[in-house]
Structure formats: C-alpha cells, structure tokens
Amino acid sequence: MDYRQKIVEELENLKIEFNEERNFDVIAIGRACIDLNAVEYNRPMEETMTFKKYVGGSPANIAIGSAKLGLKAGFIGKISNDQHGRFIEQYMGNMGIDTENMVIDQEGHKTGLAFTEIKSPTESSILMYRDQVADLYLKPEEVSEDYIKQARILLVSGTALAQSPSREAILKAILLAKKNNVKVVFEIDYRGYTWVSPEETSIYYSLVAEQADIVIGTREEFDVLEGIKDGKNEDTINYLFNHTPELIVIKHGAEGSSAYTKDGQTYETNAYLTKVLKTFGAGDSYASAFLYALVTGENVETALKFGSASASIVVSKHSSSEAMPTVEEIKDLIAEYESNN
Amino acid sequence: MDYRQKIVEELENLKIEFNEERNFDVIAIGRACIDLNAVEYNRPMEETMTFKKYVGGSPANIAIGSAKLGLKAGFIGKISNDQHGRFIEQYMGNMGIDTENMVIDQEGHKTGLAFTEIKSPTESSILMYRDQVADLYLKPEEVSEDYIKQARILLVSGTALAQSPSREAILKAILLAKKNNVKVVFEIDYRGYTWVSPEETSIYYSLVAEQADIVIGTREEFDVLEGIKDGKNEDTINYLFNHTPELIVIKHGAEGSSAYTKDGQTYETNAYLTKVLKTFGAGDSYASAFLYALVTGENVETALKFGSASASIVVSKHSSSEAMPTVEEIKDLIAEYESNN
Amino acid sequence: MDYRQKIVEELENLKIEFNEERNFDVIAIGRACIDLNAVEYNRPMEETMTFKKYVGGSPANIAIGSAKLGLKAGFIGKISNDQHGRFIEQYMGNMGIDTENMVIDQEGHKTGLAFTEIKSPTESSILMYRDQVADLYLKPEEVSEDYIKQARILLVSGTALAQSPSREAILKAILLAKKNNVKVVFEIDYRGYTWVSPEETSIYYSLVAEQADIVIGTREEFDVLEGIKDGKNEDTINYLFNHTPELIVIKHGAEGSSAYTKDGQTYETNAYLTKVLKTFGAGDSYASAFLYALVTGENVETALKFGSASASIVVSKHSSSEAMPTVEEIKDLIAEYESNN
Amino acid sequence: MDYRQKIVEELENLKIEFNEERNFDVIAIGRACIDLNAVEYNRPMEETMTFKKYVGGSPANIAIGSAKLGLKAGFIGKISNDQHGRFIEQYMGNMGIDTENMVIDQEGHKTGLAFTEIKSPTESSILMYRDQVADLYLKPEEVSEDYIKQARILLVSGTALAQSPSREAILKAILLAKKNNVKVVFEIDYRGYTWVSPEETSIYYSLVAEQADIVIGTREEFDVLEGIKDGKNEDTINYLFNHTPELIVIKHGAEGSSAYTKDGQTYETNAYLTKVLKTFGAGDSYASAFLYALVTGENVETALKFGSASASIVVSKHSSSEAMPTVEEIKDLIAEYESNN
C-alpha cells in the first residue's frame, strides 16, 4: 500500500467517538419559535397578505431534522403558555422528539416570531419578534442534570447565550455536560439583534467555544466569536485547538464548507447546487444531517456531504422545519450529485 | 302642542355642537397595529395554519371607519420602521386618512400584533403581542399643537394611557385639545394586559374622563374607570356630569346601549341582531359610525342607531378594518331593521 | 372712610378659608430622606471627611416645620426598611407628626440621600442618591381616603410626581382631596435629576397645578411648569386662574416673593437679609411658615412675611429640618426687621 | 536527612511562581466605593449621627493594602463623575496606586456606599447602597489588554461578576490574563444582595474558579461557589484541582485558615487573637498581605501568617482601608504572637 493510499484511508476512517450507552443521541437546548412564512412571495412583505405557520428556531429545527433522520432527540427550552407554545410542543412531540424538558413559561412571555419575506431567491429578509420572548427566560434551575447525562450530544445554540437567564441556563447545561462526559456541539447561530454588543457576544462565544467538543459556524460567525474582521480559518483553528475542541466546521456559503480535526486533518466539500427558494434553514438542516452522520458512525468526510446535501434540499422548499429531509432523500441527492461530477 | 310631543321633539333635536371651521372632522390618537386573523376558523388556533393580515387597533379602526363613511380623518401615532409599519401607513393613506403625523419609530420597536382565534361565533380569543410595541413609544414632543387645533374632534383611546411615554403624549394632546377648543372623545378601550394594575388604570381613566367632552365605553369599562364592580349607570353619570363631559355612552353588549346628556336626557337603542362571525371590532365600528352621525348633524338618537348598525355589520365579517361599512350599508340596515320591528 | 383706606383694609383682611373641623391642619405627601451635611465646610466635598445626619426632603421638612410651629401635621410616604428609615420615622414622630400613614417598603428600596457640599455661602451643591429610592415606590393603594379626608390641607411636593408608582399615588391623593373638600397646596419643588424630560415634567405639573387650590414655587419652577423660558408672572396667573387655583405664590429668591389671589390682588414681600450659611431648606421653611400663618387665620400679607422670615432663619443654620424656627423666632425677626426699615 | 525533615523542608520551600518582568505586582479589578463608618459607635445606627468617610470595596482595599506593603499596584474600575468618585481616585493615587485605568462614569451612576453600624465587637452590620452603582457599569471595552499584560497578578473580586456589564468586563479580563500568562487570583468576595439568585452566583463562580490560578474565600463562600451547604474542604479541592487552580485558601473565621496546593500539600494557620472593634475589612487585609508574601518570595506557610496577622490588625481599627498595616507591623505581630505560643 503506498503512502497516498494510506492517507486516504486514514482520512476516510476518521470518526468522532460518542458514548454508546445513552438514551438520547442528541439533546438540543435553546429556542423553539414560530416562523410565519409568506404565502404570496416574490414580492415585498408589505404586499404579502397571508402567512403560513411553522415551528422554527435553530435548535428546534436541528432537533426536528435529527428526529426525521431517525435519531433519538430531546429538547430543553421554554415555551409560551398560549396557543403558539402549545402548537410547538405538539408539533415537536409528533415528530418524535422528547418534550419532557420543555418548560411552560408562567410569566406571560410570548413565543418568538419570524415573518419571512421572500422577494426573490437571492433577496429575502426576516422580520423578527424577539423582545422578551419565552425562550430567553429559561432558568438555570430548569436545566436538569439527570436529563443531560442521558445524552450523547448536547447541542448548544449561540443565540441562547444572548440574554439572562437563558445565558446562565446554557452555561449550566455545559458545566453539566462536561461533568457527565456528554459531547458539547456549539452551533454559533449568531443573530446580532438579540445581543447588546459585539464585544459581549465575543466574550460568551469564546468562553463556550473553548469548552465545546465540536464547533460549527460560518466564517462570519467565527469572526464574531473572535471579535475580528476577515479572520482566517488557520488562525481560528490554532486558537481553538489550544482548548477543548476536537472538530471545527467552518462554512463558506455557496463555496462549500471545511472541517478541521485536532489531529491536523482538513476536509472540504462543495455546496450542492440546487434551485434556491430562500436561504433560511440551510444551517439547521446542515447541522442535523452532519451530526446524524457522525453519530451513526460515518466518517467526517461523509458527514460533510450529508450536511451539504441536507442544506441543499431545505433551501429549495418553503419551510425550515417541515422541509427537513429523510436519510433517503439525502443519499439520493449525494448519489445523483456524485454521478454528475 | 301637548307636553309629550314637545319632549319628543326636544329629544329628536338634541345634537352636540362642533367647531365648523376645522380641516379635520376627527383626529384619532393611539395605536395602529396588525391583526392576523385565522384563515381556517371554527377551530382552536393551534390548528390554524394560515393567517391573514389586516390593519387593526381601536383608534386606527375608528379612523378607517370614519374615513370610509366620508369624514376627513387624521391620525397621530408611532409605527415601526419595518414592513409592518410601512403596510399600516400605506393602507391608512390609501383609505384617505392623513398620515403626516404618524411618526416612524427609530428605536427598533415593533408593531403590535393580534392573532385572532375563532373557535365558534361565541368563543373567540386574541393572542396579543404588545411587549414594547412602537405605539406605546409615541413621545409628547411628537404631538403637534398645530395639528391638533385643526380638528373638530380628538379621539383618544384609553389603551394609549397604559404606558409611558405614550401616556404623556396623550395627556399632552388632551391639554392642547382643550386649550384649542377641540372636543375630546374618550373611547375607554380597556385592555387589561397593557396595564400594571387596575388601581393605576382607574386613576388615569378618571383624570381623562373628567376632562373629556364625550365618553364612550361598555358598562365593564366604566367599572374599571371608577375602580368598582357592578357599577350603575346612574352613579356613573352623576359622577362624570360633575366634571366636563356633556355626553356619555354606555354599551351593554347584546342588550344595546344608552346615551346620557348633561341636560338630563337618556336615549336607548337595541343591538341589531345579525349573524355573528366574531365579536372583534364591534366597538370600533360603533364609535366611528356614532361620531360620523354626530358630526354630520344627526341627533343623538340617530347616532346611536348608526353605531349599533355599524357594529352589527362588522361582527358578521372577517376583519375589523376592511369590513368597515359605508353610509349606505348602515342606512339600509337601519331601514330594514325598523321595517321589521 | 376714604377709598384708599378701604382697599388697604380689604387687602389686610384677605384670608384663605379652610375647613375648621378636621383632625390635621396639614398632611404632607412625598419624600422623607436623609441629609448628610458636611461637618467640615468652606471646602470642596472631596475634602470633607465627616458628615452629620438629618431628616430631609421637601415635604418632610415642611411637615417638621409646621409641627414645630404648632400645627397638627401628618405625613404620607414610603420609607426604607432599615436603620435610615427607622431614624426618619422616629425623628418625625418625636416632632409630633402623625406617622401612621408612613409605609415601610418591603422591596429593598433605600432611603434617598443628599450629601451637601458647602464651599462658601454662595457656592454649594448637593450630591444626590435618588436611584430607586423608597419614597418613589409609594403605591396608590397605600394612599387612604379615610386619612386624607381628615386634613384641612394636602401638601403635594412636585418631585413625588417624577416616577411611577409615586406619581399615581399623588394623583390619587389629589383626586381624593378634591372629592373630600381638602385644600390642595402644590409646592412645585422641581428637582430636574428625578425627571425623564422637561416635556414630561411640564405635563404633570400642569395637570396638578390646574387642580390645586394654592400653588407655590420659584419663578424658575413656574417656567418648568409652563414649559417656557423667562416666563412672566402675569401670564402665569392668567393661565392658572382660568382653572382651580385661588392663590399663587411666586418666589424670586433674594428679590423677595409675590402672592396673587384669584380676585385680582397682589402682595409683595422682600427677602429678609441674613447671614447665609447655605441656601438649602429655604423653600421648605418658607412654605411651612406661610401655611402656618394662613391656617391660623393670618392674612396673605402676613403669611408672606412669615415665609420670608422663616426662610431667612433656616439658611443661616446647618440643617434644613432641625433648624426650623419657632413662631416666636419668626415674630421676633419680623419685628426686628420692621423696626429697622 | 531523614524523611520527616525532608517533608518539612519541602513544605517550607513551597512557593508560587510569578512572572518576574512585569510593571505591576498586582492589578485589582472591581469596585472602589465609599465606607461611611459610624463615629459614635456601640449603639444602633439609628442613634449614630455622624459618619466618617473612607475608601472601601474589597478589591480597592486589597490594592490599598498591597500598595501600603510596598507592592506596585494598579486598579481597573469605574468611578462616579462626582465628588465621591474624585475622592476615591485622589486617595488611591496618593497611596501610590496606578489609577490610569480607572474609568470615569459618564451615565450618572453613583459611587456605592456602605454605612457601617457597630453595635458591639460581635454585632455589626452594613447598610449598603448598591443600586446601579458605577462600579457595576465597567464595560468590557474599557478593559485593556495592554494594561493587563503588565501584571504579575490579576486580582478578581467575585462581586464584580454580579451584574452586566461589569460581569463581562471581568470575564474579558480573565480571558486576557490567561492569554498573557498573568496569574489570576480569585477572591470570592460574596455579597448576596448584589446577585439575582444563588444558582446564578454558583454558575459564574464555578466558571471563574475553574480558570483561576489561586482561589481565596471563606468556607461559606466556597459553599456558594459549589451551590451546596456544609461543604467539605476535601471535596472542594478535589473539584477545583481537576481544573486550573494550583493554590486554594479556605478561611474558617476565628478558627484560622487552610491553604491547599495542587501537589497535595496542606497548610494551616490560626487566627491571631486581637481586640476586635468590628469584623469589616478582615478579608481584604488578609488577601493583600497573603499576596504580598507570595509575590515577594515567601513560602505558603509564611504567607498564611502574613494574612492572619494583617487581618488581626485591621479588625482592631476603625476603617478597612486607612487601617491597612505596614510590613513592619505585620512582622512585629507575628513575632510577638510566636514568642507567646
């Protein structure tokens, strides 16, 4: 076997190890919200008169995507004590997600809303309702060690760090995950409007990323984490591999994504070309398929393909949550794509 | 002419006098919001998947209703600097309302939302988004004396008194209206969820009602104003006629409404029976038609009929604003009703 | 009797009438605080190392001054649940003031503090601690109609209008006073640092002044009330005598003060020259002696002299509260002054 | 050399190593406040009429104590833009502390105050003014990496973690200290009234303690950190030595204190008996002398003695800051104590 062949095999065999004996493949923590997607689109929202309701919010989408792929998923979060909150819990429960640790808010906080505007495939925007929303009021005492220690992965969404007491609930969940040997996956999930200042964001993102096992984000999100502009992937991994992380995924939008492992390997994948309706939900579908692949024992290279294919499917559809693909759809797209390239 | 005949003629002739030489029949001040009405109804909102967008909010609805009836209307309020705010301004402008004094919020506040749930004609509820909404951030310095003095009527919505700085903007508008001989119409428009406590509500409602020329509300709303339970109309009018008011309208829902004048007259009207889809918007359509009648020189008795007929039309339709009737529709319903009774 | 003589007699006889049959001459409502006066003075506060503790706060000082003059005084206000709050209640009780309606805060609010710096007789400043102080948390439900109706005068301090819920407590007290035929004396007592904006101050000051029976303030304070600069007394009284007030006192510092009555009379008095240690407390001692004179049946002219003499005594001493003069001291100063002029 | 002798020598030689080439021995970060100490004591504060002003606040006291012992000290904190803030800066500057990184608040926040009540040597209490005080408004962008990297020790006071933005400023300072190889000393300094909940305190204390090099606190403070009651020193050190700390000092009040090192050594010292006037300031004087000893190359055992002796001197005097002892006073007390025992 020649040297090149050996490297290829090593790369193909690189896998991340998770605890085998846990009740949940992944427990996501953070927000579960409502998306109100424009029914009449290709126009400004002022002219959209009807909106369709979906569950949304990055960690909820990832839990839904994971469950649809067959993982055993749980969710920790706070939902409003009203029709929107009940819809979210019912929908996620129906998708097979464990909702026992979804706490019902008792202080009148509302569910976050995202009205989506789809002007054209490349021009879309979101009108957010995020003031004093229920998900940001999850309290540390509502996070259970007994629950977290049942997980192979704790998926942490960066937005949940934006405000107290949700911030402290997340910090506690991470302390508990590390104490109980649960892998912490940090999806940076940066939404500027929820934060007081970029300086503050950088501080909490650094604190959490330094303690996470896997960090996933776009190049722009890593820049926010590092408090810099136009950062380079090499500097990012040099910084973070000095701390806990063993796997870092940096996404470059239409140009694909890169995965770096602590032992020095780099993997690249292209974005899968597709008919784009809107860009919402791409990151969440990427993360759920990527984690699915890792957890089911695929190597990092395959996991990257899963992520890209899943993202490609969701951006061609109307919602972020209902559109989450099955394993078969992902595999079909990868196969089709590879036969064409 | 016998005595009874004389009384009847007096009653029929009783009218409220307004300034003739003003640019606006009515300027309404307070909130303009978005209603998101269930498209699929006769079910709980959890099962409603599509919502239709309308302009809403009591004073906005009254301005729209007045404009549709042919009055010259203006509006003072603060709207969000986003797609929802722009939709509101465009819609109201298209209805013929002067929007020059609608201020665009520069601090990131959102438009208030009301998701309506229509389970059945008698069971409906509203899921409100009212935290830190733009309308409650209208500032006193954004209320213009030059504008208010152009009005025959300043219509004040009680909800706008619920929080600072909107509260102070309203108090200033009233001071300016009185200084410039503009009739103040106080629509109590009580929404408990915007207030800190019933005690506080009662204090501001009393302060404003004592200074208003016309006060309109339901029996329950006058109870809130007086800080009591099961109040009697007689006590209410004894109290308020000791102060500025000259006309008081107390509504009793399906049992009709009563108008009292300072000179001791009482007028009653029945509710107009109709096919009820939902009860939202009844009060706003009542107020706009009632004021229309008064301003155009109808007597109080006729104004009451206008109010009741208008309310009856709106509760049979899907929206509160778009459903506002024309003068012809109102007159037709009154004629039909009177021919049947 | 010639015409001139008649006018003189009328002026001398002009008195304000109060209810005779009440338990309290005056009930003051608003703040009771702590003054920490520089022990080492004639230097900047940075170099003052020791401070002496006194009760302070305009309405507390007025209650103390009134009690010392022999009036039956009561006080409505909220005090902190700590050593400072207890000192205030004990001190005021020892002065003969009824403290039954002083409410002890249960939410951890502190007593307001005023550190006084005395650089020279003409240069002094106050370093205030007024963030979230107990007095501003008096709630409307803690204001008792049974208590207020026992007073001949309700003395309202303008600073208590600066923030909720104290603002609403004051507005309620005024509604109750008017309902029960208690004279409302409005001491404008403007402290800019407690207010959000001059616009807001002007709105609440106007609302209250229009409903008060007697309004007392400096020329600058009336400017704040009217929302203008360099206002004229004539415009002020034209405005306010269109509403409830029957007596208006406008102070011009070292140039003396003027009293105007609704029936068109004007009274002037000089400031009493004295050795000035500091200017703090002048207004409070003025008000207490002025009200004392009116309540005990003196005419307006004499009441003005009492006010001026009392102010003169307090500014020559170290504190605002303990320095409040007796009737004898005031009368002696007036006599001395008149014999010299 | 027998085995026992060897252990004794090892223990005696155990020292903590610090960077030699830095401009500052210690930079403290956190609050600098005003103490107002009862001049008339042995009575309840209600009866204390005069108060003497001192600089106070744990990290300010430690900086003052260190400077008095001859260390080169700097301070990072926010002070009020008024007479109290200027007094603090002048006083600390006069003590030889570098004040270049003390930021003057521009938003009207006040200096924190502590009125001390000394009823008897064993009964004393503090009346705190800590609402919205300037020190809690230090912002992360006001913490300079250029400054921190000049220090051998960054002394962090736990109270500064209680609220944002001070919390984030501290977290940033720690990130910068670790990046620049500055030893982090965490003085737990728990003040319950500044915190929202014990749960939140425990989360931030854990996060910081896990990253600190030296942790100092009372047994009760470590219980707060661990979120438990009646914790045992052994469990505490087992937990923390799994993370960054190399030296942990746990104080047991009158029963003395213990120091634990990561390599398994334990040191104990008694409290030095003394005439106690009040207990305030004991911890700060302990910390400054303990750090002085370590930084000047004394072994841990001697450092403990320095801490105890310094605390003993301060509790016998009226203030916490001015009473900080000199090296000579400490050495004399140790010598005297050892000759008697």
Side-chain angles (χ1 to χ4, degrees), chain A residues 149-168:
Chain A
K149 73 181 180 193
Q150 297 179 46
R152 299 169 79 191
I153 293 176
L154 176 74
L155 180 111
V156 169
S157 152
T159 292
L161 289 162
Q163 288 175 29
S164 296
S166 165
R167 174 182 292 166
E168 289 77 32

Short mmCIF file of all heavy atoms in Angstrom, two decimals, chain A residues 149-168:
data_model
loop_
_atom_site.label_atom_id
_atom_site.label_comp_id
_atom_site.label_asym_id
_atom_site.label_seq_id
_atom_site.Cartn_x
_atom_site.Cartn_y
_atom_site.Cartn_z
N LYS A 149 -27.39 14.10 31.34
CA LYS A 149 -26.44 12.99 31.35
C LYS A 149 -26.93 11.78 30.56
O LYS A 149 -26.19 10.82 30.38
CB LYS A 149 -26.07 12.62 32.80
CG LYS A 149 -27.12 11.90 33.58
CD LYS A 149 -26.58 11.64 34.99
CE LYS A 149 -27.60 10.92 35.84
NZ LYS A 149 -27.24 10.93 37.26
N GLN A 150 -28.16 11.86 30.06
CA GLN A 150 -28.68 10.79 29.20
C GLN A 150 -28.33 10.98 27.73
O GLN A 150 -28.72 10.18 26.88
CB GLN A 150 -30.20 10.69 29.32
CG GLN A 150 -30.70 10.34 30.71
CD GLN A 150 -32.21 10.29 30.76
OE1 GLN A 150 -32.84 9.71 29.89
NE2 GLN A 150 -32.77 10.91 31.79
N ALA A 151 -27.62 12.07 27.43
CA ALA A 151 -27.38 12.39 26.01
C ALA A 151 -25.98 12.01 25.56
O ALA A 151 -25.03 12.02 26.34
CB ALA A 151 -27.59 13.88 25.79
N ARG A 152 -25.85 11.69 24.27
CA ARG A 152 -24.53 11.53 23.68
C ARG A 152 -24.01 12.92 23.27
O ARG A 152 -22.82 13.19 23.37
CB ARG A 152 -24.60 10.61 22.47
CG ARG A 152 -25.10 9.20 22.87
CD ARG A 152 -25.43 8.35 21.66
NE ARG A 152 -24.21 7.81 21.06
CZ ARG A 152 -24.18 7.21 19.88
NH1 ARG A 152 -25.29 7.11 19.15
NH2 ARG A 152 -23.06 6.73 19.41
N ILE A 153 -24.93 13.75 22.80
CA ILE A 153 -24.54 15.11 22.37
C ILE A 153 -25.47 16.12 23.01
O ILE A 153 -26.68 15.93 23.06
CB ILE A 153 -24.71 15.26 20.83
CG1 ILE A 153 -23.70 14.37 20.09
CG2 ILE A 153 -24.57 16.72 20.41
CD1 ILE A 153 -23.88 14.40 18.58
N LEU A 154 -24.88 17.22 23.51
CA LEU A 154 -25.68 18.40 23.88
C LEU A 154 -25.44 19.43 22.80
O LEU A 154 -24.31 19.89 22.61
CB LEU A 154 -25.24 18.97 25.23
CG LEU A 154 -25.96 20.27 25.63
CD1 LEU A 154 -27.40 19.98 26.06
CD2 LEU A 154 -25.21 21.00 26.74
N LEU A 155 -26.50 19.77 22.06
CA LEU A 155 -26.36 20.77 21.02
C LEU A 155 -26.75 22.14 21.57
O LEU A 155 -27.90 22.35 21.98
CB LEU A 155 -27.23 20.45 19.81
CG LEU A 155 -27.04 21.54 18.75
CD1 LEU A 155 -26.32 21.00 17.55
CD2 LEU A 155 -28.33 22.23 18.42
N VAL A 156 -25.80 23.07 21.57
CA VAL A 156 -26.00 24.41 22.14
C VAL A 156 -26.06 25.43 21.01
O VAL A 156 -25.16 25.49 20.17
CB VAL A 156 -24.83 24.76 23.07
CG1 VAL A 156 -24.86 26.22 23.45
CG2 VAL A 156 -24.83 23.87 24.29
N SER A 157 -27.14 26.21 21.04
CA SER A 157 -27.28 27.28 20.05
C SER A 157 -26.78 28.60 20.63
O SER A 157 -27.18 28.99 21.72
CB SER A 157 -28.76 27.41 19.69
OG SER A 157 -29.06 28.72 19.28
N GLY A 158 -25.91 29.29 19.92
CA GLY A 158 -25.29 30.51 20.42
C GLY A 158 -26.27 31.61 20.79
O GLY A 158 -26.03 32.39 21.72
N THR A 159 -27.40 31.67 20.10
CA THR A 159 -28.38 32.73 20.40
C THR A 159 -28.90 32.63 21.82
O THR A 159 -29.23 33.64 22.44
CB THR A 159 -29.53 32.66 19.38
OG1 THR A 159 -29.01 33.02 18.09
CG2 THR A 159 -30.66 33.60 19.74
N ALA A 160 -28.95 31.43 22.35
CA ALA A 160 -29.46 31.25 23.71
C ALA A 160 -28.53 31.87 24.76
O ALA A 160 -28.90 32.02 25.92
CB ALA A 160 -29.67 29.77 24.00
N LEU A 161 -27.32 32.26 24.35
CA LEU A 161 -26.39 32.93 25.27
C LEU A 161 -26.61 34.43 25.33
O LEU A 161 -25.96 35.14 26.10
CB LEU A 161 -24.94 32.68 24.83
CG LEU A 161 -24.42 31.26 25.02
CD1 LEU A 161 -23.19 31.03 24.17
CD2 LEU A 161 -24.09 31.02 26.49
N ALA A 162 -27.55 34.94 24.52
CA ALA A 162 -27.63 36.39 24.33
C ALA A 162 -28.16 37.13 25.56
O ALA A 162 -27.79 38.28 25.79
CB ALA A 162 -28.50 36.71 23.12
N GLN A 163 -29.05 36.51 26.32
CA GLN A 163 -29.65 37.23 27.44
C GLN A 163 -29.82 36.34 28.65
O GLN A 163 -29.96 35.13 28.53
CB GLN A 163 -31.02 37.80 27.01
CG GLN A 163 -30.91 38.98 26.04
CD GLN A 163 -32.26 39.46 25.54
OE1 GLN A 163 -33.26 39.34 26.24
NE2 GLN A 163 -32.31 39.99 24.35
N SER A 164 -29.85 36.98 29.82
CA SER A 164 -30.14 36.27 31.06
C SER A 164 -31.65 36.12 31.19
O SER A 164 -32.37 36.99 30.74
CB SER A 164 -29.63 37.06 32.26
OG SER A 164 -28.24 37.17 32.23
N PRO A 165 -32.16 35.07 31.80
CA PRO A 165 -31.46 33.96 32.43
C PRO A 165 -31.12 32.81 31.48
O PRO A 165 -30.47 31.86 31.91
CB PRO A 165 -32.45 33.49 33.49
CG PRO A 165 -33.78 33.76 32.87
CD PRO A 165 -33.61 35.01 32.05
N SER A 166 -31.55 32.89 30.21
CA SER A 166 -31.23 31.80 29.29
C SER A 166 -29.72 31.59 29.23
O SER A 166 -29.24 30.45 29.18
CB SER A 166 -31.76 32.14 27.89
OG SER A 166 -31.20 31.31 26.91
N ARG A 167 -28.96 32.69 29.25
CA ARG A 167 -27.49 32.58 29.20
C ARG A 167 -26.98 31.67 30.30
O ARG A 167 -26.16 30.78 30.05
CB ARG A 167 -26.90 33.98 29.37
CG ARG A 167 -25.40 34.02 29.47
CD ARG A 167 -24.93 35.46 29.69
NE ARG A 167 -25.19 36.28 28.51
CZ ARG A 167 -25.13 37.62 28.50
NH1 ARG A 167 -24.86 38.27 29.62
NH2 ARG A 167 -25.36 38.29 27.39
N GLU A 168 -27.45 31.88 31.51
CA GLU A 168 -26.97 31.09 32.64
C GLU A 168 -27.46 29.64 32.54
O GLU A 168 -26.76 28.71 32.96
CB GLU A 168 -27.41 31.71 33.96
CG GLU A 168 -26.67 33.00 34.29
CD GLU A 168 -27.16 34.21 33.49
OE1 GLU A 168 -28.36 34.26 33.17
OE2 GLU A 168 -26.34 35.10 33.19
#
